[in-house]
Amino acid sequence: MELNSQIKAALADPEKKILLMTHIVLGYPSLAINRQVIEQMVSGGVDLIEMQIPFSEPMADGPVIVKANQDAIDNGVTVRQCLDFAKEISATYPIPFLFMTYYNILFKFGVEKFFQEAREIGIKGFIIPDLPPEEGEEFFALTRQYGIDPVMIFAPTSTPERMQELSRFGRGFIYCVARKGVTGKQTDFDEEFNSYMQRCRANTDLPLAVGFGISRKDDVDSLIGRADIAVIGTRTIKLVEEQGVDAVGPFIAGLR
């Protein structure tokens, strides 16, 4: 089933007012811990997981995720290991898994080879923050060829015209950055945010995911009726660091 269909099916569940998507950095603190964290996330009721393949210059990420990327690289995790891990995980759990990374990872690995492996693994979508559609002709052609959805990113600075253009290239869902800046800082869900979300909704027919600064149940509740998916990233990384893996499942379950 395609990503968009899976999302719509999940949203049809009357028990779910909003879907939850979590984020992990592969290899941080280790793939063994990643495996345990994902088990906790799925048991807690997460609907989608984006797995970040670490990169040395993760320009969209804040200090916590930047450090996780660098530590994973220093620990020696490779793209090959990330792909093998993803194959194991996607065969274990029935929810959609996506790859989030930066284009240099695909370029060095071989773009079409990366798509071939991702399709074999069962990856449903790619989030590549540093690839605008104007520079991704090969990439977007391959997303159609291999049936992997390119998730496009809206920002508060995006004009309606730019949102419509990005939506034309996107599939699966749109990732709406909740505020200016990088990941990991608190977001205010004020009237300005509300106006931004109305602008996002008016310029695409795709489901809307909101990330950056979503760390508490109150944040998730604030998104109900405004967005379709809440994205939790930095908070779960810090939770594992501060309280251990076993805290993740109850945290995710407590977000609904």
Side-chain angles (χ1 to χ4, degrees):
M1 186 186 293
E2 293 183 352
L3 179 59
N4 189 264
S5 298
Q6 288 180 287
I7 291 171
K8 288 182 177 177
L11 286 170
D13 183 346
E15 298 294 319
K16 293 183 177 179
K17 297 177 182 177
I18 192 168
L19 305 186
L20 300 177
M21 182 168 85
T22 49
H23 172 283
I24 65 165
V25 177
L26 294 174
Y28 180 77
S30 69
L31 292 173
I33 296 295
N34 289 156
R35 189 176 289 109
Q36 297 174 40
V37 169
I38 289 172
E39 181 180 8
Q40 286 276 320
M41 288 174 169
V42 175
S43 68
V46 75
D47 300 285
L48 311 92
I49 296 179
E50 55 171 318
M51 299 185 289
Q52 181 169 2
I53 299 176
F55 180 55
S56 57
E57 298 175 46
M59 55 183 284
D61 294 305
V64 172
I65 296 181
V66 168
K67 178 181 179 299
N69 273 257
Q70 192 57 55
D71 285 0
I73 292 169
D74 291 345
N75 290 340
V77 74
T78 65
V79 175
R80 174 79 271 151
Q81 289 175 315
C82 293
L83 292 168
D84 291 344
F85 178 85
K87 183 177 182 180
E88 170 201 329
I89 291 299
S90 65
T92 303
Y93 300 105
I95 65 171
F97 288 89
L98 298 88
F99 276 145
M100 182 272 181
T101 192
Y102 294 84
Y103 193 67
N104 192 56
I105 294 290
L106 280 70
F107 182 76
K108 287 192 68 176
F109 189 84
V111 178
E112 184 158 11
K113 182 181 174 187
F114 192 87
F115 269 89
Q116 290 171 340
E117 294 219 20
R119 182 176 67 176
E120 291 171 8
I121 290 168
I123 294 297
K124 298 297 184 181
F126 287 162
I127 303 173
I128 312 291
D130 61 347
L131 183 67
E134 293 83 357
E135 298 177 14
E137 182 178 352
E138 178 189 17
F139 173 86
F140 288 99
L142 290 170
T143 65
R144 293 186 291 274
Q145 179 179 338
Y146 287 93
I148 297 175
D149 288 347
V151 175
M152 306 306 291
I153 299 173
F154 288 178
T157 53
S158 301
T159 64
E161 292 77 16
R162 183 60 177 168
M163 289 179 175
Q164 290 171 23
E165 180 70 1
L166 293 171
S167 182
R168 192 168 65 83
F169 283 89
R171 298 197 305 276
F173 62 89
I174 295 290
Y175 190 120
C176 304
V177 174
R179 54 171 168 67
K180 300 174 185 175
V182 295
T183 59
K185 296 180 181 178
Q186 192 60 41
T187 294
D188 293 325
F189 300 102
D190 52 15
E191 279 306 309
E192 184 177 357
F193 174 80
N194 202 36
S195 174
Y196 164 55
M197 291 308 301
Q198 289 174 355
R199 198 164 70 251
C200 293
R201 188 70 80 185
N203 287 289
T204 183
D205 293 328
L206 293 170
L208 301 179
V210 174
F212 284 42
I214 313 302
S215 62
R216 305 171 302 186
K217 185 178 187 306
D218 286 350
D219 299 333
V220 175
D221 288 345
S222 294
L223 295 178
I224 293 173
R226 295 166 159 174
D228 305 295
I229 305 168
V231 185
I232 302 95
T234 299
R235 180 59 190 138
T236 53
I237 292 175
K238 294 175 72 172
L239 196 64
V240 173
E241 293 173 345
E242 295 166 358
Q243 300 181 36
V245 172
D246 290 345
V248 174
F251 167 72
I252 297 296
L255 292 175
R256 292 199 187 277

